[in-house]
Amino acid sequence: MDNGMILITTFVLTIGIVSVFYYRINLRKKRHSDTIKSDWINFKKAIANKHLKGINKFGTNLIWNEHLTMEMLKEMSTGINNLGKDYTELKELKILIYNKYLDWKKEYPY
C-alpha cells in the first residue's frame, strides 16, 4: 500500500467513527427531549402518592436527563425533603440531586 491509500483509508475511517458518535449523541438528545415531560409528570404523581419505586425510577431518569432545569431540580429537592427522613430508600436519589446541584453551582477559575 502506498502512502496516499493509507491516508485516504485513515481519513475515511476517522470520518465514519465521528459520524457514528454524532448520530448516537443526537439520538440520545432526542430521546431525552421526548421523555422529560412524561418523566416529570410521573415523578410528580409518584411524590403525591408516596410511591417510592416510582420516585426513585423517574427521579433518576430526570437527574440524568440533559434537559433538566434548575427549577425542576429545586422542586425535586423540596418534594423529596417534604416526604421526611423516614424513607431510607430515597437516600441515593437525594445524593444524586445534591451532587447535580453542586455540579451546576460550582465556579470555574479563569
Side-chain angles (χ1 to χ4, degrees):
M1 254 183 160
D2 62 331
N3 290 339
M5 191 61 144
I6 292 173
L7 284 174
I8 290 173
T9 305
T10 304
F11 182 72
V12 169
L13 284 175
T14 304
I15 294 298
I17 291 170
V18 168
S19 298
V20 167
F21 278 109
Y22 182 75
Y23 176 72
R24 299 276 302 192
I25 288 172
N26 279 340
L27 282 180
R28 188 189 69 186
K29 285 183 181 185
K30 184 175 180 345
R31 187 178 64 242
H32 281 190
S33 177
D34 292 343
T35 62
I36 190 159
K37 188 174 182 180
S38 63
D39 285 344
W40 181 245
I41 291 169
N42 289 329
F43 178 77
K44 287 171 62 174
K45 285 181 186 176
I47 288 282
N49 296 327
K50 297 181 181 176
H51 187 260
L52 299 180
K53 288 183 181 179
I55 293 170
N56 274 328
K57 177 184 174 186
F58 296 114
T60 304
N61 288 349
L62 284 169
I63 287 296
W64 293 110
N65 194 313
E66 61 190 40
H67 299 287
L68 183 71
T69 63
M70 183 58 94
E71 292 80 25
M72 288 177 161
L73 186 67
K74 287 180 181 178
E75 193 171 334
M76 287 174 70
S77 179
T78 57
I80 289 181
N81 289 335
N82 287 341
L83 290 177
K85 297 181 180 183
D86 300 333
Y87 301 105
T88 57
E89 296 89 354
L90 300 176
K91 184 178 181 181
E92 186 176 331
L93 183 58
K94 286 181 183 181
I95 292 170
L96 285 173
I97 290 171
Y98 182 67
N99 286 338
K100 180 70 113 177
Y101 180 77
L102 288 179
D103 183 43
W104 284 355
K105 285 296 183 181
K106 67 183 170 188
E107 294 180 14
Y108 295 99
Y110 292 105

